[in-house]
């Protein structure tokens, strides 16, 4: 880029002079457009006000001093730019450049920030665009408003989420000749939902493309192969058309499509012709090849000519999921349930590396299966982008597995696991870690606490390896017994009589609910409070002292449980979330007390079993009782080892947050929670948090910033395509289908519960529809009429609990939370694995 005679950088220059090397001078949008012009793509002519022009305007407006003022609001920054005006020499240059495009030519004036239209930071729609601007004075005004839009509330919040400070970003402005398009829209050179790279997706609307980009119109949607072959198209509704007005500005016209064409592969009635699609596909291939990655492209067609008006890398593009075999889908279903949210780097290198999934890998390895639960999370730039189940393979050791299983089943009885010395040693180590005053520990000793907590989980792994064979054998024996007697339908209720720590937790929570139910004043004082208000009320209001003590006792006994996943350390534990426990207690208090329904069904099922004519003799009845009891002990082993597996989670999390607090004090982090953006090896590489070398501190800060931005861009992108793990069954009248997991049918209002913060929303007798569950969700099953889960299988926690409570359940729908509307009346058929609209709802639709 050239310079002026006084050696100052050029403030205004033709768009064609710039390319990818000029990012800091002209921002992402202008740099990309310049690249396209150099590559011979049809890009409308125009010019750029460089970031130096903005810098001069910002200096004139006194923005640097405002940045230093904590009280300076985004509105104050915008006003400073708008009220100060434009440096005279820049104004003259803009006027001259505009007149070179033509006298009173309509132009589009658009922002081009230095952190915009880049991989990992699209900044789409964060700054303003002005269309059909006519006349030099109008262009100057639009430029000032573009500069000011750098400080809209939405743009400031977007940058804050990505740890981009105000002085790190500057803005250029692109001024281009307007294309008065007949049709316009966007196209993607990969499928933004599935991540498939062999597709081109095109959305088209009549008039200017702003209607499509801003979401004002339902566009025509076209799916093409990379080569340009039309695979499918769906007609839009054409609600709004935006067209340029004479003299400047645009007009919105509301329209209704008279008759929607059929779509498919016949273009009759489509906005785009076969020639249009061929032209767009050709440009899409050229642009993607030029930039070397999938692109998000804005285009316009006027008088039969195609124009490219913007191209940027596709951010947050899912990794395509390859077809999976049966074992791959099984692992995917398990991991999808365990990983409902994206792990942080510190999750990956602590609890993911040493927790339940690693335990499952070691169990599989012990019994001769290699490759299970390994390398199943793919990372880019230090952030997880995809869940990709591996393909396990048998080894010769698998031939010894039957003998190993038989030997362990004989030696390790599930009834005895809790008295195993290894369990006592595990709990003693956790108690020792929890007794430490973390804030007082020297740095080296503090780093040793997470290491000890992770090592303690090996006790749980060894117990599972030893006792699972006996548990499996006990369950198999009861399955065989009920099958031989023709009583298979009793199996779920027979197992429901198992006494577990989860059931103990549920009973304790029911006790809190009983207290709230019996005292309307107490219930009223605690209803509708947020997390902070709950803590304040319980600690300061003397009327709540008794209930607060009992809630604290509950958290002390059961608060080691996870709220999201036992595989993650970044989400808070139940002990850190009294508002969640209170919300569940309040929710239960709003319904009649449940009096041992599961126990009653279990007792009735056992009585039914023993009434069989083959079990009427005392010896055979005793034999059957022993089989049932052994199977219940197996269920208790599975549930209780899960309960205790998370015993080390709270101290692991607290120690990592204490490490984060030390790094905050050292100036590496803004908040202790940012420590989760770092990896365990990066933390252990710090010799002393109080004296971190400047270079190391800067590398850590940069890693946190980059990973924060990457996570923010991936926030709306799933880690996996649920349809691969949970393929939908063919059912034309079903809203969702999945695995039958709890027999029977139930009709009620669907309530979408996405995480623990939503627990209180579930009403008595409603249908619980959720993306995943874990043991912390179990109390909801007391209120729910049925449960529908995106993930999981017939053996998952939600399915087991649903069967214990005798409610219909459908697991692994893949998309239940997406296709079922909150508040919709639905019928759940847990026997066939189907969710349909209720008959009365359909009749009134």
């Amino acid at each position: 880029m050239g310079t002026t005679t006084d050696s100052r950088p050029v403030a205004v220059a033709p768009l064609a002079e710039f390319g990818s090397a000029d990012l800091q001078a002209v921002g992402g949008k202008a740099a990309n457009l310049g690249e396209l012009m150099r590559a011979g793509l049809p890009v409308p002519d125009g010019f750029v006000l460089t970031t130096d022009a903005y810098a001069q305007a910002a200096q004139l407006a006194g923005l640097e001093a405002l940045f230093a003022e904590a009280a300076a609001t985004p509105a104050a920054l915008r006003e400073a730019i708008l009220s100060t005006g434009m440096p005279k020499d820049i104004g003259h240059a803009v006027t001259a450049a505009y007149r070179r495009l033509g006298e009173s030519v309509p132009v589009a004036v658009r922002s081009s920030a230095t952190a915009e239209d880049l991989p990992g930071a699209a900044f789409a729609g964060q700054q303003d665009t002005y269309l059909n601007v006519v006349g030099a004075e109008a262009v100057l005004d639009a430029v000032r408003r573009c500069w000011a839009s750098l400080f809209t509330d939405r743009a400031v919040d977007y940058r804050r989420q990505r740890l981009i400070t105000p002085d790190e970003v500057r803005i250029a402005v692109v001024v281009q000749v307007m294309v008065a398009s007949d049709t316009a829209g966007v196209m993607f050179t990969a499928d933004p939902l599935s991540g498939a790279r062999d597709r081109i997706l095109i959305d088209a609307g009549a008039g200017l493309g702003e209607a499509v980009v801003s979401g004002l119109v339902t566009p025509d949607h076209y799916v093409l192969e990379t080569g340009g072959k039309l695979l499918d198209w769906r007609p839009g509704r054409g609600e709004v058309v935006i067209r340029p007005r004479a003299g400047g500005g645009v007009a919105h016209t509301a329209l209704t499509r008279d008759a929607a064409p059929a779509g498919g592969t016949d273009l009759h009635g489509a906005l785009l012709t076969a020639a249009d699609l061929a032209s767009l596909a050709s440009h899409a291939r050229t642009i993607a090849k030029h930039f070397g990655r999938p692109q998000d492209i804005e285009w316009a067609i006027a008088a039969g000519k195609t124009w490219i008006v913007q191209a940027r890398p596709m951010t947050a593009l899912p990794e395509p999921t390859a077809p999976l075999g049966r074992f791959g889908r099984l692992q995917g279903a398990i991991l999808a349930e365990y990983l409902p949210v994206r792990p942080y780097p510190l999750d990956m290198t602590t609890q993911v590396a040493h927790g339940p999934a690693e335990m499952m890998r070691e169990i599989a390895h012990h019994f001769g299966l290699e490759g299970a639960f390994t390398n199943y999370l793919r990372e880019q730039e230090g952030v997880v982008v995809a869940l990709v189940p591996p393909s396990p393979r048998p080894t010769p050791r698998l031939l010894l597995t039957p003998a190993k299983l038989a030997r362990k089943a004989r030696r390790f009885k599930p009834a005895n696991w809790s008295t195993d010395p290894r369990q006592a040693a595990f709990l003693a180590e956790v108690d020792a870690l929890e007794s430490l005053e973390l804030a007082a520990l020297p740095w080296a000793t503090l780093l040793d606490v997470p290491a000890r907590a992770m090592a303690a989980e090996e006790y749980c792994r060894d117990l599972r390896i030893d006792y699972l064979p006996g548990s499996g054998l006990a369950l198999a024996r009861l399955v065989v017994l009920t099958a031989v007697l023709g009583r298979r339908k009793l199996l779920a209720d027979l197992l429901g009589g198992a006494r577990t720590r989860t059931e103990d937790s549920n009973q304790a929570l029911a006790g809190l609910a009983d207290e709230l139910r019996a005292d309307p004043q107490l219930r009223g004082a605690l209803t509708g409070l947020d997390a902070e208000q709950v803590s304040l009320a319980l600690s300061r209001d003397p009327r709540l002292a008794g209930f607060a003590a009992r809630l604290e006792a509950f958290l002390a006994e059961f608060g080691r449980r996870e709220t999201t996943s036992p595989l993650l350390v970044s989400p808070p534990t139940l002990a850190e979330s009294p508002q969640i426990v209170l919300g569940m207690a309040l929710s239960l208090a709003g319904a009649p007390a449940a009096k041992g329904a599961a126990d009653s069904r279990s007792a009735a099922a056992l009585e039914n079993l023993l009434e069989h004519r083959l079990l009427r003799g005392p010896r055979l009845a005793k034999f059957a009782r022993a089989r049932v009891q052994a199977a219940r002990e197996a269920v208790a082993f599975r549930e209780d080892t899960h309960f205790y597996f998370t015993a080390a989670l709270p101290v692991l999390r607290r120690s990592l947050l204490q490490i984060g607090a030390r790094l905050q004090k050292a100036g590496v982090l803004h908040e202790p929670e940012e420590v989760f953006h770092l990896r365990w090896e990066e933390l252990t590489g710090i010799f002393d948090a109080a004296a971190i070398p400047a270079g190391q501190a800067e590398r850590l800060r940069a890693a946190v910033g980059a990973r924060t931005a990457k996570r923010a861009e991936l926030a709306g992108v799933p880690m996996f395509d649920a349809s691969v793990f949970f393929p939908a069954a063919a059912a034309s009248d079903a809203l969702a289908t999945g695995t039958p997991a709890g027999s029977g049918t139930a009709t009620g209002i669907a309530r979408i519960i996405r995480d623990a913060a939503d627990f209180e929303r579930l009403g008595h007798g409603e249908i619980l529809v959720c993306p995943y569950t874990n043991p912390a969700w179990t109390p909801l099953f007391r209120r729910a009429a049925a449960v529908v889960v995106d993930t999981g299988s017939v053996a998952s926690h939600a399915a087991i609990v649903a069967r214990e409570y005798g409610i219909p359940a459908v697991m692994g729908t893949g998309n239940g939370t997406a296709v079922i509307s909150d508040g919709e009346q639905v019928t759940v058929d847990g026997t066939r694995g189907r969710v349909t609209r209720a008959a009365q709802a359909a009749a009134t639709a």
Side-chain angles (χ1 to χ4, degrees), residues 152-172:
T152 60
D153 291 345
R154 68 176 183 272
V156 169
D157 184 62
Y158 188 95
R159 294 194 296 271
R160 185 183 295 118
Q161 291 178 27
R162 289 152 179 79
L163 300 183
I164 299 172
T165 59
D167 56 351
E168 286 183 284
V169 63
R170 298 201 298 174
I171 190 171

Side-chain angles (χ1 to χ4, degrees), residues 1 13-20 22 26 30-39 41 43-48 101 174-176:
M1 190 175 73
L15 182 59
E17 290 188 7
F18 302 100
S20 58
D22 301 308
V26 296
N32 290 350
L33 287 171
E35 280 289 314
L36 294 176
M37 295 178 96
R38 293 178 177 185
L41 275 298
V43 175
D45 195 12
F47 61 90
V48 184
L101 295 177
V174 177
V175 180
Q176 282 181 283

Side-chain angles (χ1 to χ4, degrees), residues 772-828:
Y772 68 97
T773 67
N774 60 46
W777 294 62
T778 302
L780 296 183
F781 289 59
R782 289 177 176 269
R783 293 179 63 78
V787 60
V788 179
V789 190
D790 287 352
T791 60
S793 66
V794 70
S796 64
H797 180 267
I800 292 169
V801 175
R803 290 193 292 271
E804 288 180 3
Y805 282 86
I807 61 176
V810 179
M811 307 298 299
T813 64
N815 62 352
T817 55
V819 298
I820 300 172
S821 300
D822 189 69
E824 184 176 15
Q825 192 90 358
V826 299
T827 296
V828 178

Side-chain angles (χ1 to χ4, degrees), residues 618-814:
R619 293 182 62 185
L620 289 175
K622 182 179 179 181
F623 169 82
R625 287 180 185 275
R627 284 284 190 263
V628 171
Q629 182 59 30
R632 288 175 176 175
E633 289 163 353
V635 170
F637 166 76
R638 179 188 186 275
E639 194 68 28
D640 289 353
T641 50
H642 182 111
F643 175 87
Y644 285 109
F645 198 98
T646 59
L649 198 59
V651 70
L652 174 59
R653 178 174 157 80
R654 285 199 303 272
S655 59
L656 293 174
L657 287 172
Q658 177 58 219
I659 290 170
R662 304 273 181 102
L663 295 179
Q664 180 189 28
K665 187 176 180 181
V668 174
L669 307 177
H670 296 95
E671 300 289 342
E673 288 77 9
E674 289 179 5
V675 73
F676 293 115
H677 289 291
L678 295 173
R679 299 176 68 83
W680 177 239
E681 59 268 25
E682 290 171 330
L683 298 178
T684 57
I686 300 171
F687 181 73
D688 183 357
I692 306 177
Q696 185 180 25
E698 183 53 40
R699 287 193 297 274
L700 293 172
R701 279 192 291 268
V704 169
R707 293 165 190 170
T708 298
K710 182 72 173 178
R711 281 185 66 87
E713 288 298 333
L714 291 169
V717 179
M719 292 187 294
F720 54 87
D721 182 354
S723 65
V724 176
F725 302 156
F726 310 104
S732 59
D733 62 335
L735 284 170
T737 61
T739 301
S743 61
T745 62
T747 297
I749 292 173
R751 190 63 64 208
I752 311 295
I753 306 295
R754 298 195 178 276
D755 53 40
D758 289 339
F759 282 177
E760 197 173 347
R761 294 184 59 244
L762 182 71
H764 181 65
E766 293 184 338
I767 308 297
L768 170 61
V769 183
C770 52
Y772 68 97
T773 67
N774 60 46
W777 294 62
T778 302
L780 296 183
F781 289 59
R782 289 177 176 269
R783 293 179 63 78
V787 60
V788 179
V789 190
D790 287 352
T791 60
S793 66
V794 70
S796 64
H797 180 267
I800 292 169
V801 175
R803 290 193 292 271
E804 288 180 3
Y805 282 86
I807 61 176
V810 179
M811 307 298 299
T813 64

Side-chain angles (χ1 to χ4, degrees), residues 179-468:
V179 177
S181 52
D182 302 310
T183 55
V186 298
M187 62 179 168
F188 302 100
T189 64
D191 189 332
L193 296 180
S194 71
R197 269 64 169 176
D198 60 349
R199 295 289 183 269
I200 297 173
L201 276 65
I202 300 174
D203 285 342
L208 300 181
E210 180 67 13
V212 175
V213 173
S214 62
L216 293 176
V217 66
T218 305
D220 277 19
H221 180 73
Y222 304 81
V223 181
L224 287 71
E225 287 183 346
T226 306
K229 179 183 177 181
L230 177 66
L231 299 176
D232 186 31
W233 80 278
R234 296 194 309 269
R237 290 195 288 271
E239 299 94 334
V240 175
V241 175
I242 302 178
R243 297 197 186 280
R245 284 192 306 214
V250 296
H252 293 62
T253 304
L255 294 177
T256 301
R257 201 162 193 164
D258 294 334
T265 54
D266 182 354
L267 288 171
H268 177 72
L271 286 173
L272 297 178
T273 66
D276 294 332
L277 293 173
S279 174
L280 288 169
S282 175
H283 290 324
R285 291 191 298 271
T286 300
I287 294 168
K289 182 178 180 180
H290 180 82
F291 287 111
R293 60 176 294 159
Q295 296 289 303
D296 170 355
I297 302 163
E298 294 181 24
W299 54 270
I301 297 176
K305 179 177 175 59
T306 301
W307 296 90
I308 303 300
V309 296
Q310 186 168 331
R312 55 176 168 243
M314 291 185 70
T315 59
L317 185 64
E319 289 290 308
T321 303
L324 297 172
R326 184 163 59 91
F327 286 117
R329 285 198 303 274
L330 174 62
Q331 287 180 93
I334 294 170
L335 291 167
E337 189 172 23
Y338 270 106
L339 290 167
V341 297
R342 193 180 310 279
Y344 282 83
L346 199 49
D347 286 315
M348 289 292 294
T349 49
T350 56
Q351 193 67 355
V352 170
H354 299 276
E358 174 62 12
M359 177 189 70
M360 289 186 281
R361 184 200 68 78
E362 296 211 16
I363 290 173
H365 169 79
H366 179 82
F367 291 112
L369 199 62
E370 289 295 340
F373 300 101
T374 57
N375 301 320
Y376 52 87
L377 290 170
R378 186 177 299 159
E379 295 179 89
Q380 288 180 2
E381 302 164 35
V383 177
V384 171
V385 296
L387 169 60
V388 185
S391 298
R393 61 187 185 281
T395 68
R397 294 198 317 279
L398 194 62
L399 298 174
L400 303 175
T401 294
K404 285 183 180 179
L405 292 172
R407 187 165 58 250
K408 288 186 180 295
R410 285 195 303 270
R411 181 179 175 188
F412 298 101
K413 305 297 183 185
N416 302 328
W417 84 270
S418 60
T419 60
D420 192 298
R422 290 172 292 182
Q423 175 68 359
F426 168 63
L427 294 178
E429 173 68 347
V430 172
D431 288 342
L433 290 172
E434 289 193 329
S435 69
L436 296 173
E437 184 60 47
L438 298 177
L441 296 179
W443 176 254
T445 309
L446 177 60
L447 286 179
D448 192 45
V449 175
R452 286 175 60 185
M454 289 184 280
E457 294 180 329
E458 295 177 8
Y459 289 113
C460 301
R461 174 206 62 200
D462 293 343
L463 286 169
R464 278 262 174 141
I465 288 174
D466 287 343
Y467 287 93
L468 274 175

Side-chain angles (χ1 to χ4, degrees), residues 456-538:
E457 294 180 329
E458 295 177 8
Y459 289 113
C460 301
R461 174 206 62 200
D462 293 343
L463 286 169
R464 278 262 174 141
I465 288 174
D466 287 343
Y467 287 93
L468 274 175
S471 299
L473 179 62
L475 289 168
R477 283 171 170 170
L478 184 59
V479 169
V480 170
L481 176 64
T482 55
V484 168
L485 298 176
R487 296 287 196 271
R488 280 291 299 273
K489 290 184 177 180
L490 298 176
L491 187 60
D493 285 341
L494 288 171
L495 295 176
R499 188 67 180 184
T500 67
R501 293 299 287 156
T502 296
E503 184 58 25
D504 291 342
S505 171
N506 291 344
Q507 293 295 338
L509 187 64
L512 295 175
D514 289 342
E515 187 173 350
L516 291 169
R517 190 183 295 109
D519 189 342
Q521 287 187 331
L522 174 64
R523 185 176 168 189
L526 291 169
T527 299
L529 304 182
D530 61 27
E532 185 177 350
Q533 291 170 331
V534 165
S535 298
L536 287 174
L538 292 174

